[in-house]
Amino acid sequence: MTYWQAMPSAYSDRLEELAQTLSACRNAFHETANEFHWEPAARSGAAQAALALPSPDPVIDKPTGETGHRLITEAIQIFLFNSAAHMGSWAALLRAAELSQRPLCCCAQSSRTAPTLCG
């Protein structure tokens, strides 16, 4: 049996706000990744640390660009890329109102005029 419950407009408006926030975070990740290509800025603390990290291969005495920094950034990139994909998925689910329960309230309890999902 299919069951569909009508959603108050305040809820759907709030879901759209949450979806926009998730989409903005996802877009910020992709823009940052495209701009910097996971390379630290020249003369930054991260660039100095990248050069100081040892090579992941102990046989290489003087690594040129293949230090432990590359392993760390690849692990972080995979995690953040997957997180960005999940944010896009959640945004789509929120926009479609495909929820099995109400999201947690993230509004200030003192505000009586702000729409909430607390019920």
Side-chain angles (χ1 to χ4, degrees):
M1 174 199 275
T2 303
Y3 174 75
W4 185 258
Q5 181 178 353
M7 182 179 294
S9 64
Y11 286 2
S12 58
D13 293 346
R14 183 64 177 147
L15 292 178
E16 178 57 31
E17 289 174 3
L18 293 170
Q20 288 176 4
T21 301
L22 289 170
S23 293
C25 291
R26 179 181 176 274
N27 292 340
F29 163 77
H30 286 294
E31 289 169 9
T32 302
N34 287 336
E35 183 176 345
F36 296 104
H37 303 286
W38 297 100
E39 295 296 327
R43 297 182 305 277
S44 68
Q48 294 170 6
L51 292 174
L53 286 171
S55 170
D57 187 347
V59 178
I60 300 174
D61 289 335
K62 296 183 182 190
T64 55
E66 249 343 279
T67 65
H69 167 72
R70 175 63 46 209
L71 291 176
I72 294 168
T73 55
E74 285 176 2
I76 292 170
Q77 179 193 19
I78 290 168
F79 176 77
L80 291 176
F81 183 80
N82 286 330
S83 298
H86 284 290
M87 286 182 190
S89 300
W90 274 104
L93 289 171
L94 290 170
R95 284 192 173 104
E98 291 291 332
L99 304 169
S100 60
Q101 61 185 3
R102 291 181 183 173
L104 295 175
C105 177
C106 56
C107 62
Q109 291 295 327
S110 61
S111 174
R112 300 211 184 270
T113 59
T116 69
L117 293 175
C118 304

